[in-house]
Amino acid sequence: MKLPLSFALLASAASALAQTSAPMKPFGLVIHGGAGVIERKAMSPELDAEYRATLQRALDAGYAVLEKNGPALDAVIAAVTVMEDSPLFNAGKGAVLNADGFCEMDAAIMNGATLQAGAIAGVQHIKNPLHLARDVMEKSKHVFLIGDGAEKFAESLGYEHTPREYFQTDFRRQQLERAKQLEAKKDNGTASVPLGPASPGGLRDEHFKREQKYGTVGCAALDQHGDLAAGTSTGGMTNKKFGRVGDVPVIGAGTYANNATCAVSSTGWGEFFIRSVVAHDISAQMEYQGKDLRAAAAATLAKVAKLGGDGGVIGIDARGNVMTDFNSEGMYRAYHIAGQPPVVAIYGDEPR
Amino acid sequence: MKLPLSFALLASAASALAQTSAPMKPFGLVIHGGAGVIERKAMSPELDAEYRATLQRALDAGYAVLEKNGPALDAVIAAVTVMEDSPLFNAGKGAVLNADGFCEMDAAIMNGATLQAGAIAGVQHIKNPLHLARDVMEKSKHVFLIGDGAEKFAESLGYEHTPREYFQTDFRRQQLERAKQLEAKKDNGTASVPLGPASPGGLRDEHFKREQKYGTVGCAALDQHGDLAAGTSTGGMTNKKFGRVGDVPVIGAGTYANNATCAVSSTGWGEFFIRSVVAHDISAQMEYQGKDLRAAAAATLAKVAKLGGDGGVIGIDARGNVMTDFNSEGMYRAYHIAGQPPVVAIYGDEPR
């Protein structure tokens, strides 16, 4: 069919307009794959490329949802699922091992439009912990389920029972071994010890330095409806004992979203992030002081540092301003805001 | 020995001064024993008197610590221990029963001077859960331990293994039975259901109406050094399933303390209190907006109500201003500020 000239001109003009003007409504997302001692000199080109490709894949999965006018919550799930399924990150497959040699995982999600939230802690057989956190939010009357109980809830919804072995990788087994060696030297008898600086051993230093105590994945997204959402998923701390839980499933610490302010996901030394109520503290400065997202995050991270903790945060606000900040050496991170090129970064000397 | 006249005069003058002037430094504490449908008309005089006497005993135990110049943390522990040991409250002995018929308890404590915190969730054999939360804070490198792991930590410290039966009371067994009957009528198949309004049955209405879903105990204290502390302990929600955890062990939601602002303990419908990050939200308004404690608490409770939740909060600030507020019918509460008479109250028409 041949188009009339007038229609062709109109279509051409509309296309030109779409290319030159900014999108009607801002949207986009930001992700992290953990903060910690991540140094350029300790990373092989191959590993560097692998991390960047996986971050890009996670970013694209989330962005595709938003581009098709999908909800921020779906974008968060899509992005985090890629990282949970990748053995590179400390969440889902490839989560760190506890002192007994298996994975205990935590996750949380929050809907900024409704302030609904869901969180789980200490699950061992859930392939994608963030999916379960969302189901806690949307299919139960509760917010926070732990341990066997959370698994029973998953079972009641027809979740597949994923064997412990699925999550375990050789790298994490070696990391646990090394952690136990270090612990034997300095154990005070009461608690698991975060991995200290790597020393020469059977594994390459770059491996030891990867996510010593921090690795966690998360996403914050803004959709075209103006709704915000954030989600975080983690295996916690290598060699953890006593059912230790960090900031990830603690709503307000590791995860918070509120359409009135921002959506935030944290990754850091969980104990310090709980004590600083990091994610909500950032939101509260925006709400009560009118600070912008970056200034609020910087102030909160300064407080964490003052207590002796470190790590990073990512966030996005209702106008599409994005923030990635950390006081550790590096943080696996990426963001894509509509109308702007995507950014993928790892080290401290790259854009944040 | 006979005192010289000059010394006797001096002593007499000092004594007069002590009696007439306000204490050098303000100190005091505030406690709660749960908020909910607590109505004067549904309470027998005997039960009313029993509650008041136990609240007074808890208040006195905490005040005695502060009066002797002891730390706020010790006062919090002293007051909460009395309520954990009493079968009247939903914490320690007399905690509500879960769907399987036993108690799973949560607790948290925070030191406003150092922002250190400790929390436990889902313990079954710890006589005084708040003691263990304090030990997590002070004797581990962690903040939050859950389930069997938390119990193993207690064992490593020499805690006695308290049998499940110790915690269970006939009243809670009957309450669980009634909850299951109600649930059978309206279960949606996915979650435990909070007890609805009581209907005539085998138990007196006053019993059904006691702490339907809220009962929790807590304390916030200011010591003579100017240090603040808060602690909260609970059995959670009757008939709970799936390892459900409420706001109590979530630092920032059920418990928060910061010398720069206030110490707060919450008691309410935990899901809504988590989503509103209640305790930290009150602190944040003081820190970032300069609001006073009462105004901040009122604003936060209004947000909780807007989401559909209810309950109460107690708090004290660094100048000894005290707050007890709730949007439920009543809240078991008491406070004692140095230089002022102690106050014990239950119903909505009494002082708050």
Side-chain angles (χ1 to χ4, degrees):
Chain A
M1 192 179 95
K2 201 180 165 198
L3 289 171
L5 184 64
S6 60
F7 185 88
L9 277 173
L10 197 67
S12 166
S15 167
L17 192 69
Q19 280 164 23
T20 54
S21 69
M24 292 280 287
K25 290 179 179 172
F27 67 92
L29 79 165
V30 52
I31 63 173
H32 69 78
V37 184
I38 306 164
E39 292 170 322
R40 193 184 291 275
K41 63 175 192 263
M43 187 86 87
S44 69
E46 295 75 21
L47 196 56
D48 178 293
E50 207 180 334
Y51 270 112
R52 286 178 200 270
T54 311
L55 288 168
Q56 184 71 58
R57 204 149 47 79
L59 194 67
D60 291 348
Y63 192 81
V65 172
L66 299 174
E67 208 170 23
K68 277 179 261 172
N69 206 11
L73 276 174
D74 287 0
V76 167
I77 291 282
V80 168
T81 299
V82 171
M83 295 185 281
E84 283 180 338
D85 290 347
S86 161
L88 289 174
F89 303 100
N90 175 18
K93 187 171 183 66
V96 299
L97 305 180
N98 68 11
D100 295 322
F102 58 85
C103 303
E104 287 175 301
M105 295 163 288
D106 314 321
I109 196 163
M110 190 155 179
N111 180 343
T114 60
L115 301 183
Q116 282 180 294
I120 53 166
V123 299
Q124 300 172 25
H125 303 285
I126 308 298
K127 183 168 177 279
N128 291 103
L130 198 66
H131 296 204
L132 183 56
R134 185 179 185 169
D135 279 338
V136 170
M137 175 170 75
E138 296 182 343
K139 297 179 182 169
S140 87
K141 302 193 173 190
H142 301 307
V143 168
F144 193 8
L145 304 181
I146 65 173
D148 290 347
E151 307 247 5
K152 277 182 199 156
F153 175 66
E155 202 180 315
S156 78
L157 297 181
Y159 272 61
E160 200 181 326
H161 181 274
T162 306
R164 284 177 171 175
E165 293 68 31
Y166 162 79
F167 301 98
Q168 300 167 4
T169 63
D170 284 342
F171 168 62
R172 297 301 187 192
R173 285 192 197 96
Q174 292 165 323
Q175 206 177 37
L176 175 62
E177 200 51 47
R178 182 77 189 122
K180 284 183 180 289
Q181 288 165 10
L182 283 170
E183 186 191 35
K185 286 186 194 164
K186 58 180 179 181
D187 189 6
N188 65 1
T190 61
S192 70
V193 178
L195 275 169
S199 59
L203 286 175
R204 285 173 298 169
D205 268 11
E206 69 173 283
H207 272 174
F208 280 119
K209 288 184 176 172
R210 273 164 60 193
E211 299 148 29
Q212 286 189 23
K213 55 185 170 237
Y214 307 123
T216 284
V217 309
C219 176
L222 167 68
D223 66 29
Q224 297 191 46
H225 306 281
D227 289 334
L228 293 168
T232 316
S233 181
T234 191
M237 188 183 276
T238 299
N239 197 29
K240 65 187 180 183
K241 295 189 191 82
F242 302 135
R244 179 265 184 189
V245 169
D247 60 315
V248 169
V250 177
I251 296 295
T255 304
Y256 188 74
N258 187 335
N259 276 9
T261 54
C262 61
V264 170
S265 170
S266 309
T267 168
W269 194 337
E271 279 71 10
F272 292 93
F273 277 60
I274 294 177
R275 292 165 55 194
S276 304
V277 198
V278 165
H280 184 263
D281 193 54
I282 293 171
S283 168
Q285 291 171 70
M286 295 178 70
E287 182 173 359
Y288 301 131
Q289 292 189 301
K291 272 194 189 167
D292 66 48
L293 177 59
R294 281 172 177 252
T300 299
L301 276 182
K303 285 187 209 173
V304 171
K306 205 173 156 194
L307 291 180
D310 57 356
V313 282
I314 59 163
I316 189 166
D317 71 14
R319 291 188 303 275
N321 297 306
V322 76
M323 171 275 295
T324 68
D325 200 0
F326 49 97
N327 58 12
S328 49
E329 284 78 356
M331 177 166 75
Y332 300 107
R333 61 198 185 275
Y335 51 90
H336 191 176
I337 303 302
Q340 299 172 26
V343 172
V344 176
I346 297 177
Y347 310 109
D349 57 10
E350 293 182 277
R352 62 175 85 184
Chain B
M1 192 180 96
K2 201 181 165 196
L3 290 171
L5 185 65
S6 60
F7 185 89
L9 278 172
L10 198 67
S12 165
S15 166
L17 194 68
Q19 281 164 20
T20 54
S21 68
M24 291 280 289
K25 291 178 178 173
F27 67 91
L29 79 167
V30 52
I31 64 174
H32 68 77
V37 184
I38 306 163
E39 292 170 323
R40 194 185 291 275
K41 62 175 191 262
M43 186 84 88
S44 69
E46 295 74 23
L47 196 57
D48 178 294
E50 207 181 333
Y51 270 112
R52 287 179 198 269
T54 310
L55 288 168
Q56 184 72 58
R57 203 150 47 79
L59 193 68
D60 291 348
Y63 193 80
V65 172
L66 300 173
E67 207 171 24
K68 279 179 259 173
N69 205 12
L73 276 174
D74 288 359
V76 167
I77 292 280
V80 169
T81 299
V82 170
M83 293 186 282
E84 283 180 337
D85 291 346
S86 161
L88 288 175
F89 303 101
N90 175 17
K93 185 169 185 66
V96 298
L97 305 180
N98 68 12
D100 294 322
F102 58 86
C103 303
E104 286 175 302
M105 295 163 286
D106 314 322
I109 196 163
M110 189 156 180
N111 180 343
T114 60
L115 300 182
Q116 283 180 292
I120 54 166
V123 299
Q124 300 172 25
H125 303 284
I126 308 298
K127 183 168 177 279
N128 292 103
L130 197 66
H131 295 205
L132 182 56
R134 184 179 186 170
D135 279 338
V136 170
M137 173 170 76
E138 296 182 343
K139 297 180 181 168
S140 88
K141 302 193 173 190
H142 301 308
V143 169
F144 193 8
L145 305 181
I146 65 173
D148 289 347
E151 306 246 6
K152 278 181 198 157
F153 175 66
E155 203 180 315
S156 78
L157 297 181
Y159 273 61
E160 200 181 326
H161 181 274
T162 305
R164 283 176 172 176
E165 293 68 30
Y166 163 78
F167 301 98
Q168 300 167 5
T169 62
D170 284 342
F171 168 62
R172 296 300 187 194
R173 286 193 196 95
Q174 292 165 322
Q175 207 176 36
L176 174 63
E177 199 53 45
R178 181 78 189 122
K180 284 183 180 290
Q181 289 165 9
L182 283 170
E183 187 190 36
K185 287 186 194 163
K186 59 180 179 181
D187 190 7
N188 64 2
T190 61
S192 70
V193 178
L195 276 167
S199 59
L203 284 177
R204 285 174 299 168
D205 269 10
E206 70 174 282
H207 271 174
F208 280 118
K209 288 185 175 172
R210 272 163 60 191
E211 300 147 28
Q212 285 188 22
K213 56 185 173 238
Y214 305 124
T216 283
V217 308
C219 176
L222 166 68
D223 66 27
Q224 298 191 44
H225 307 282
D227 290 333
L228 293 168
T232 315
S233 181
T234 191
M237 187 183 277
T238 299
N239 197 29
K240 64 187 180 184
K241 295 190 191 82
F242 301 136
R244 179 267 184 187
V245 169
D247 61 315
V248 170
V250 177
I251 297 294
T255 305
Y256 187 74
N258 187 335
N259 276 8
T261 54
C262 61
V264 169
S265 170
S266 308
T267 169
W269 195 337
E271 279 71 11
F272 293 93
F273 277 61
I274 294 177
R275 292 166 56 195
S276 306
V277 199
V278 165
H280 184 261
D281 193 55
I282 293 171
S283 169
Q285 291 171 70
M286 294 178 71
E287 183 173 357
Y288 301 132
Q289 292 189 300
K291 270 194 190 167
D292 67 46
L293 176 59
R294 281 172 176 251
T300 299
L301 276 182
K303 287 188 209 173
V304 171
K306 206 173 156 195
L307 292 179
D310 58 356
V313 281
I314 59 162
I316 189 166
D317 72 14
R319 291 187 302 276
N321 297 306
V322 76
M323 171 275 295
T324 67
D325 201 0
F326 49 96
N327 58 12
S328 49
E329 284 79 355
M331 177 167 74
Y332 301 106
R333 60 199 186 274
Y335 51 90
H336 191 176
I337 304 302
Q340 299 171 27
V343 172
V344 176
I346 297 178
Y347 310 109
D349 58 10
E350 293 182 277
R352 62 176 86 184

